[in-house]
């Protein structure tokens, strides 16, 4: 059974990577061009950050994309 996305997003593949939406895939493509042109650097897909407060692990936050401006 194929589950429909709650927000109507369509999974899209770019460079062999499956993105959750066309908009996310387009942003990745745009950032790859900027990285190739030297305008940004260190493009990372889905970096995860642990959420910790007072030494208690609350979970993790996963970004779509991260880069150095």
């Amino acid at each position: 059974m194929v589950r429909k996305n709650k927000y109507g997003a369509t999974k899209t593949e770019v460079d062999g990577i499956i993105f959750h939406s066309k908009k996310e895939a387009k942003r990745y493509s745009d950032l790859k061009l900027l990285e190739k042109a030297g305008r940004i650097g260190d493009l990372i897909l889905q970096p995860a950050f642990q959420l910790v407060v007072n030494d208690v692990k609350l979970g993790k936050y996963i970004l779509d994309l991260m880069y150095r401006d």
Side-chain angles (χ1 to χ4, degrees):
M1 179 177 157
V2 176
R3 290 182 59 191
K4 189 173 181 177
N5 184 287
K6 177 165 112 172
Y7 300 106
T10 303
K11 288 191 178 195
T12 305
E13 183 177 341
V14 176
D15 294 341
I17 304 163
I18 305 270
F19 293 93
H20 292 214
S21 69
K22 290 179 184 178
K23 188 174 181 179
E24 184 181 353
K26 171 80 169 92
R27 181 68 177 151
Y28 168 77
S29 296
D30 292 345
L31 289 172
K32 286 292 286 184
L33 288 174
L34 288 172
E35 184 177 45
K36 190 172 184 176
R39 303 270 314 273
I40 66 168
D42 304 325
L43 181 61
I44 301 170
L45 297 174
Q46 297 189 338
F49 295 91
Q50 295 297 324
L51 300 176
V52 180
V53 176
N54 296 329
D55 296 326
V56 176
K57 293 180 184 176
L58 301 175
K60 66 181 173 180
Y61 183 75
I62 302 173
L63 300 173
D64 289 334
L65 303 158
M66 184 172 81
Y67 58 91
R68 183 180 43 78
D69 194 10

